[in-house]
Amino acid sequence: MEVLIGITGKDFVLLTADTTSARSIVIMKQEEDKTRELNKHNLLLTIGEAGDAVQFAEYIQRNIKLYEIRNGVPLSTKAVAAYTRREMADSLRSRNAYQVNILIGGVDPKTGTPELYWSDYLAASQKMPFATQGYASYFVMSTMDRYWRPDLSLAEARALLQKCFDELKKRFIGNLPSFLIKVVDKEGIRTID
Amino acid sequence: MARRYDSRTTIFSPEGRLYQVEYAMEAISHAGTALGILADDGIVLAAEKKVTSKLLEQSASAEKVYVLNDTMACAVAGITADANTLITYARQQAQQYLYTYSEEIPAELLVQRMCDLKQGYTQYGGLRPFGVSFLYAGWDSHFGFQLYHSDPSGNYSGWKATCIGANSSNAQSILKQDYKETGITLANAKSLAVKVLAKTMDSTTLGSDKLEFATVSKGNDGKIAFHLFSAEEIDQLLKDENVAQFQEEDS
C-alpha cells in the first residue's frame, strides 16, 4: 500500500513518499519519514518488507557518509545509484535478500542538473524523468505520461504531483491521507508542502 | 652499526629509521629519470629509458610510462618488475571502483590505494618494500588535472612539477626555477620537459630511442586522452626544441 513518486524538473528533483506506517489492518502512525539523506544533494526513498526498508536505507546512508569522510569528496548521483544497485544485487544471491524498492533523486552540485533513479528489489535500475514505486504506478504513471514536460518549474511540478495525489484519492482503494514532499536542488534538500 | 638492523624490513633501527625503505629509495636513485609537469590543460610525463638497443621492439614494450585507466597514466622509476606488479594492482583497483560506482576512480583515491599497499610492505609480512617510485598523471571531475608522486614508504604528495630517478635533484632545481606558477599550457610543459631532460640526462645525445614521452589531456570530444609519443613524434619534438641528436651546445 506504500507509494513513492519522483519528478525531475528544470534544476531540481521533487520526491514524495506516503507517511502511513501500517501492519495488516492497523495504522500505527501517520508521520513516518521513508526518506534518508545520503549527502547534501542526494536523497533515497525506500518501501518494502518491514524492517528491510529502513535497514537497507540506513546501511546505504552510512556507507555513503563513510565514503565522504574517507575521501573528502561527495559521490555523484550516478555513482550513488550504481553503488546502491550493486549492494542490492549482491544481497539478491545471498541468504537474505533485501526486499526493498527505491527511488534515488539528486542534483549535480555544480550544474544543478537533476537525476532520478528507479531501482527495485531485483536490482534492476534505470534513470528516469519521473518514476513511481508501489501501487501508485498503475494510476500515476499515465497521469505523468500525459502532463510531464522537460524543464518544469517547481510550481508546475508540484501541480503535477497534486494531479497524481488526486488520481490516487479518486481511484486507489488504499487510503493515503498524507505525503511527505521533498525537493533536492543545488541548495540542498528541503521539505515543502 | 646499521648492518645489524637491515635484514628485517619491519623493525626500526635504534635511530628510528627503516633501513629497507631507505635502501629501496637508493635503488630508485640509480634508475632512469622520470619527470612530470602539470599544465592548465593537461600533464606531461617524460622519462629516460635505461634499456636501449636497436634490437628492442619499441612498440611492444613499455618501460617507463603506463596507462592505468581511462583518466590516469603513470611513469615509473626503479625496479621494473616491482613496477609491473604494482601497476597490475592499480589497474585492478581502478576497475573495481568503476564496477561499484559506475564512475572512474578519482585520481587521489587511486594513489592512496597504491600507497596503502606499499605501506603494508613496510610494516608487516617480512617482505621487502617495492623498489619503485611513481609519478601519477590523472584527471577527475573534482580537482581537474593532478600530478602525484609516491615512494616505497607509501608516502605521497601532489605536485605541480617533479622528478624521480637519477639526477632528480638536479632536474628538480631546474624545474623550480623555470616552472611558471600560472598560465602554463601543455605546449609550455612539453617544451620545459624536453629542456630539463636534455640538461640532466646522463647520455650525451638525446634521441627518440632513449625517451618515453606522453601527455594526458582533454580531447576535442571532452574525453580524457592519453597520448604516448611515437619515435617520430619525439624526434620532431626534440627538433622543435633544438636539442636533437646533433646539437652544437653541450648536453
Side-chain angles (χ1 to χ4, degrees):
Chain A
M1 294 300 183
E2 299 173 286
V3 156
L4 299 178
I5 304 175
I7 302 175
T8 56
K10 183 155 182 279
D11 50 7
F12 62 90
V13 187
L14 188 62
L15 294 153
T16 185
D18 74 287
T19 56
T20 310
S21 178
R23 295 281 176 273
S24 169
I25 58 172
V26 176
I27 298 173
M28 296 185 295
K29 81 190 250 198
Q30 211 46 274
E31 318 86 49
E32 176 82 351
D33 184 354
K34 299 176 189 178
T35 74
R36 291 289 185 279
E37 286 189 17
L38 301 179
N39 57 31
K40 187 159 184 244
H41 296 102
N42 288 288
L43 188 65
L44 169 67
L45 291 76
T46 58
I47 54 171
E49 181 75 25
D52 281 1
V54 171
Q55 189 73 357
F56 185 72
E58 292 186 347
Y59 174 71
I60 299 295
Q61 188 184 38
R62 299 291 179 266
N63 276 288
I64 301 296
K65 180 80 184 171
L66 180 60
Y67 179 98
E68 262 188 44
I69 294 173
R70 267 193 185 139
N71 304 312
V73 286
L75 277 171
S76 69
T77 309
K78 176 156 163 267
V80 163
Y83 170 75
T84 307
R85 194 206 80 81
R86 176 65 53 205
E87 289 289 341
M88 192 79 83
D90 289 344
S91 96
L92 194 57
R93 284 195 159 85
S94 71
R95 258 188 348 100
N96 259 41
Y98 285 111
Q99 277 182 281
V100 182
N101 295 315
I102 72 175
L103 289 182
I104 296 177
V107 295
D108 179 326
K110 289 197 208 121
T111 63
T113 312
E115 284 188 351
L116 174 65
Y117 289 85
W118 176 102
S119 185
D120 71 1
Y121 71 105
L122 294 174
S125 176
Q126 194 66 31
K127 179 155 109 72
M128 300 172 73
F130 52 87
T132 53
Q133 293 281 13
Y135 284 118
S137 317
Y138 297 106
F139 304 97
V140 153
M141 284 307 276
S142 41
T143 307
M144 293 202 280
D145 276 333
R146 171 87 173 77
Y147 292 109
W148 185 88
R149 288 177 340 264
D151 297 332
L152 289 169
S153 72
L154 185 56
E156 289 170 324
R158 180 64 187 84
L160 174 54
L161 193 60
Q162 194 55 45
K163 280 199 175 64
C164 297
F165 292 154
D166 295 341
E167 190 66 28
L168 286 173
K169 201 174 292 191
K170 188 170 179 189
R171 295 296 181 193
F172 181 44
I173 198 173
N175 179 38
L176 299 166
S178 86
F179 282 80
L180 183 59
I181 307 170
K182 296 201 175 174
V183 175
V184 184
D185 62 16
K186 248 202 307 199
E187 312 305 314
I189 303 172
R190 63 183 193 282
T191 308
I192 64 166
D193 287 322
Chain B
M1 164 95 126
R3 300 295 148 193
R4 249 191 288 165
Y5 300 94
D6 289 7
S7 44
R8 298 265 307 276
T9 63
T10 53
I11 57 174
F12 283 105
S13 76
E15 302 97 52
R17 294 156 68 176
L18 289 171
Y19 279 115
Q20 282 302 309
V21 175
E22 291 183 21
Y23 295 161
M25 306 215 217
E26 179 63 29
I28 291 159
S29 66
H30 299 305
T33 317
L35 62 85
I37 302 177
L38 182 66
D40 293 335
D41 53 344
I43 308 166
V44 170
L45 290 173
E48 176 195 356
K49 287 198 270 208
K50 275 293 160 115
V51 184
T52 58
S53 160
K54 267 207 282 257
L55 296 174
L56 194 64
E57 181 56 81
Q58 298 269 34
S59 52
S61 58
E63 188 194 315
K64 304 291 283 180
V65 180
Y66 299 85
V67 168
L68 295 178
N69 68 5
D70 283 350
T71 55
M72 285 183 75
C74 68
V76 315
I79 303 173
T80 308
D82 285 7
N84 286 337
T85 307
L86 282 170
I87 285 168
T88 304
Y89 177 79
R91 288 171 172 166
Q92 281 166 350
Q93 286 294 306
Q95 293 311 118
Q96 177 63 40
Y97 186 95
L98 182 63
Y99 174 78
T100 305
Y101 295 104
S102 212
E103 272 183 355
E104 295 290 353
I105 188 169
E108 190 169 353
L109 232 70
L110 186 57
V111 176
Q112 282 172 358
R113 299 272 162 94
M114 294 275 270
C115 288
D116 288 346
L117 181 71
K118 291 205 248 188
Q119 190 277 338
Y121 279 76
T122 70
Q123 198 173 14
Y124 24 74
L127 302 169
R128 68 165 174 80
F130 291 97
V132 209
S133 264
F134 284 90
L135 290 180
Y136 309 84
W139 181 93
D140 64 41
S141 57
H142 302 294
F143 300 109
F145 288 106
Q146 298 147 74
L147 176 66
Y148 293 96
H149 163 233
S150 76
D151 63 24
S153 67
N155 203 14
Y156 78 90
S157 31
W159 291 85
K160 295 174 193 155
T162 190
C163 184
I164 53 178
N167 303 319
S168 56
S169 42
N170 205 357
Q172 193 83 352
S173 39
I174 302 176
L175 281 173
K176 206 161 159 196
Q177 279 179 309
D178 294 350
Y179 182 80
K180 274 192 306 159
E181 289 289 319
T182 53
I184 182 165
T185 65
L186 199 56
N188 295 149
K190 279 195 281 196
S191 160
L192 180 57
V194 171
K195 278 204 206 82
V196 172
L197 272 180
K199 285 199 192 139
T200 62
M201 267 168 68
D202 284 333
S203 32
T204 49
T205 55
L206 210 56
S208 57
D209 58 331
K210 292 215 179 70
L211 290 182
E212 267 183 45
F213 208 92
T215 56
V216 177
S217 58
K218 218 174 233 191
N220 290 328
D221 56 356
K223 294 222 295 233
I224 298 304
F226 170 76
H227 180 55
L228 187 66
F229 282 45
S230 68
E232 297 78 38
E233 286 172 310
I234 297 179
D235 282 326
Q236 184 60 47
L237 186 61
L238 294 175
K239 211 188 295 180
D240 291 344
E241 297 300 322
N242 294 317
V243 291
Q245 198 89 16
F246 306 107
Q247 58 180 344
E248 300 306 323
E249 46 176 305
D250 67 84
S251 57

